[in-house]
Amino acid sequence: MSAIGSKARRDRIVQLATTTGLTSVEELSQLFGVTASTIRRDLARLTTDGRLARTYGGAMALSAHPEASLRQRTGEAYDAKRAIARWAAAQVQPGETLLLDAGSTVGALAHELRTAKDVTIATTGLTALQELADVETVHVECLGGTLRPLSQGFVGPLTEAALERLTFDRVFLGTDGVSPEHGICEADLRQTRLKELMARRADHVYVLAHAAKLGRRPFHAWATLPEGWTLVTDDTADPGILDELRGRGVNTVLAEPVGAL
């Protein structure tokens, strides 16, 4: 990045902290081409001005990523979620047993699966349950547990115990953010632990995430994104991030816009 004035740099730091989560001194120093001492002075000034909160080794926005409710997220990136859901539904074969996560994109997949025949679908999400509750050609299993109102999903020891009784042909996971380095991000450690347990019970693992979630680090709870999993996103995804993921052995799919299908 070319050199910019100190005020513009501080404004950009606040923007980054608000949109991508925690910012570190090292990352900011490299990004702006200035010394770590300069960044520390910037962070001190922003903290004094009440624009950021200092953390060990960096800073975060004062209103650091309050978790949006499922209702708020349902309308975001609507076309991209439909495209991702249609691609995912097309992978399902008759007779398979599927596991669906909570979340709006996986909820869109549940809607696409309303026309499925001879499949069993277990889910931790209320949205999927609502979509499939009246579909007679789909056998539905609910993995109960502790309900998280914001995500409309079940978590906790009861959910984990139910998983131990089942295996699946495919699992479809949602996420709040995707990082090639860190994996998939959620607001709650119970969610990330559950995703890892869900993945262990399935032959094929898919992460459904529209392009705006790639490179985001809105929270500090992570699950790994290991080699062999498949990330399904839309055709506006950052090519650089996709290349990083492929370099780590993650399969990537760009779902075509619905109108192009």
Side-chain angles (χ1 to χ4, degrees):
M1 176 178 288
S2 59
I4 61 175
S6 57
K7 182 180 184 303
R9 186 177 59 246
R10 289 193 291 269
D11 289 343
R12 179 65 174 146
I13 289 171
V14 173
Q15 181 185 26
L16 287 169
T18 303
T19 58
T20 65
L22 184 70
T23 57
S24 73
V25 170
E26 180 180 354
E27 290 171 338
L28 293 172
S29 176
Q30 293 175 354
L31 177 64
F32 292 108
V34 298
T35 65
S37 296
T38 297
I39 293 298
R40 291 191 184 96
R41 286 194 294 271
D42 285 339
L43 298 181
R45 171 69 177 273
L46 291 168
T47 302
T48 300
D49 292 345
R51 300 179 66 189
L52 285 182
R54 288 298 299 270
T55 65
Y56 181 77
M60 64 191 300
L62 289 173
S63 57
H65 301 283
E67 183 182 2
S69 70
L70 183 65
R71 183 186 298 274
Q72 291 171 309
R73 287 183 280 119
T74 298
E76 296 176 352
Y78 177 76
D79 291 337
K81 291 177 183 178
R82 285 185 65 203
I84 292 167
R86 287 198 178 187
W87 184 92
Q91 310 314 301
V92 176
Q93 303 299 314
E96 289 190 332
T97 297
L98 314 174
L99 177 56
L100 302 188
D101 197 3
S104 57
T105 307
V106 181
L109 170 58
H111 180 77
E112 294 294 330
L113 291 173
R114 287 178 56 83
T115 58
K117 308 292 184 183
D118 188 30
V119 295
T120 295
I121 298 177
T123 184
T124 60
L126 287 184
T127 301
L129 287 175
Q130 292 165 351
E131 287 285 357
L132 299 168
D134 62 345
V135 180
E136 295 183 358
T137 58
V138 175
H139 178 73
V140 179
E141 299 281 357
C142 174
L143 304 183
T146 300
L147 179 65
R148 294 189 74 250
L150 281 173
S151 64
Q152 295 288 283
F154 294 104
V155 295
L158 293 179
T159 314
E160 295 170 11
L163 276 175
E164 295 177 359
R165 303 293 188 269
L166 297 164
T167 57
F168 308 92
D169 296 292
R170 305 176 197 273
V171 59
F172 298 93
L173 303 175
T175 180
D176 286 326
V178 177
S179 163
E181 179 181 3
H182 299 293
I184 56 179
C185 185
E186 293 292 340
D188 189 319
L189 282 170
R190 294 173 301 172
Q191 293 173 286
T192 52
R193 170 179 165 79
L194 182 61
K195 290 178 194 298
E196 291 179 335
L197 294 176
M198 292 167 76
R200 293 174 192 169
R201 308 300 292 176
D203 295 331
H204 303 283
V205 184
Y206 305 85
V207 178
L208 310 185
H210 62 80
K213 293 186 175 182
L214 273 59
R216 291 188 71 232
R217 299 180 300 168
F219 305 110
H220 302 289
W222 294 91
T224 57
L225 182 55
E227 181 178 355
W229 288 19
T230 299
L231 171 73
V232 188
T233 187
D234 63 86
D235 62 356
T236 65
D238 184 327
I241 295 176
L242 294 177
D243 286 343
E244 284 190 68
L245 289 165
R246 294 181 187 121
R248 294 173 180 269
V250 178
N251 304 314
T252 61
V253 172
L254 300 183
E256 296 183 4
V258 171
L261 297 179

